[in-house]
Amino acid sequence: EVHLLESGGGLVQPGGSLRLACVASGFTFVDYAMDWVRQPPGKGLEWVSTISYRGEDYAGSVQGRFTISRDNSKNTVYLQMNSLRADDTAVYYCAKGLTLLDSWGQGILVTVSS
Amino acid sequence: DVLMTQTPLSLSVTPGQPASISCRSSQSLLHSDGKTFLSWYLQRPGQPPHLLIYEVSKRFSGVPDRFGGSGSGTDFTLKISRVEAEDVGIYYCMQNIHFPRTFGPGTTVDFK
């Protein structure tokens, strides 16, 4: 069974940084693209980033501020978030896949506020 | 960016009755390999989203056969043949061919 577990969320001041991690199990991690998707409070889903054979892709709203990476030896994908803004406040989900997102984590809340 | 639209944005249904959600993309989702990368997700209250349908009409593992997807190019439909209590939530379509990936705004399905 696929399991994705996010960590690293919390409260951060505007302009600050945070690194999210997502530990995966139940599948051959190195063989799959991994994604981050976020959901602001009370709003819809917004794709953030994907790491795949293509390299790294980003939403325009986070390009230059967020960096996705992975450590295949640890079955972990990361999202380094810098220069955080209030509108980055959201639940961040880790998801598996490239042409479909077939598994999702439970999500982790990131709150950007002074 | 590919704009995804959904209609209706809200749907009140009677248990046991059918329901239908439309999704439209501003660009074709047809890949050169012949596949069309449109997927549907359901987010139940308080839960993360989960995959229902991928490549327009393929049901993901464990998804009941009352869920069906159809469409091509830029116009797609999710149909539920008989809505059950566990089907309440927000349905999102997503295009998985162009970057940045984009979701539709979501359709909230609840019971009358």
Side-chain angles (χ1 to χ4, degrees):
Chain A
E1 180 186 0
V2 174
H3 191 57
L4 302 172
L5 183 63
E6 302 95 340
S7 63
L11 175 64
V12 61
Q13 292 188 338
S17 297
L18 215 53
R19 188 176 83 154
L20 304 183
C22 170
V23 178
S25 61
F27 63 101
T28 305
F29 182 75
V30 67
D31 289 345
Y32 289 89
M34 297 297 295
D35 315 80
W36 289 96
V37 175
R38 68 184 181 183
Q39 186 169 37
K43 296 189 177 181
L45 301 173
E46 179 188 14
W47 171 82
V48 173
S49 182
T50 299
I51 186 165
S52 68
Y53 72 92
R54 291 169 44 94
E56 299 81 46
D57 290 283
Y58 298 96
S61 59
V62 306
Q63 181 83 46
R65 300 188 299 124
F66 290 12
T67 302
I68 190 171
S69 62
R70 64 193 296 160
D71 184 339
N72 292 330
S73 69
K74 296 181 178 179
N75 284 6
T76 301
V77 60
Y78 302 98
L79 186 68
Q80 176 67 44
M81 305 185 293
N82 299 331
S83 303
L84 283 161
R85 313 184 302 221
D87 62 359
D88 294 317
T89 295
V91 172
Y92 285 72
Y93 294 102
C94 169
K96 166 181 166 279
L98 183 60
T99 57
L100 72 166
L101 302 183
D102 62 20
S103 300
W104 296 64
Q106 287 296 310
I108 192 87
L109 178 62
V110 172
T111 303
V112 184
S113 175
S114 55
Chain B
D1 298 2
V2 178
L3 178 64
M4 304 295 290
T5 56
Q6 290 180 230
T7 53
L9 297 182
S10 181
L11 188 57
S12 291
V13 298
T14 301
Q17 293 300 301
S20 180
I21 301 170
S22 175
C23 173
R24 179 167 290 179
S25 59
S26 62
Q27 297 178 30
S28 175
L29 305 186
L30 176 63
H31 193 271
S32 56
D33 66 1
K35 297 179 180 179
T36 300
F37 293 109
L38 183 283
S39 51
W40 290 94
Y41 303 84
L42 166 61
Q43 186 174 31
R44 297 185 177 116
Q47 296 295 312
H50 65 274
L51 176 65
L52 295 174
I53 302 285
Y54 64 99
E55 292 175 26
V56 178
S57 61
K58 297 177 180 179
R59 275 190 303 276
F60 186 56
S61 174
V63 174
D65 60 8
R66 64 179 180 274
F67 289 93
S70 63
S72 63
T74 61
D75 286 281
F76 308 95
T77 302
L78 175 70
K79 291 185 178 178
I80 310 172
S81 58
R82 297 173 306 280
V83 177
E84 298 188 4
E86 65 180 14
D87 302 337
V88 166
I90 305 175
Y91 290 78
Y92 297 92
C93 60
M94 178 189 184
Q95 62 85 11
N96 301 91
I97 182 173
H98 303 286
F99 280 99
R101 302 295 202 224
T102 43
F103 289 92
T107 295
T108 300
V109 173
D110 60 16
F111 283 149
K112 287 181 179 176

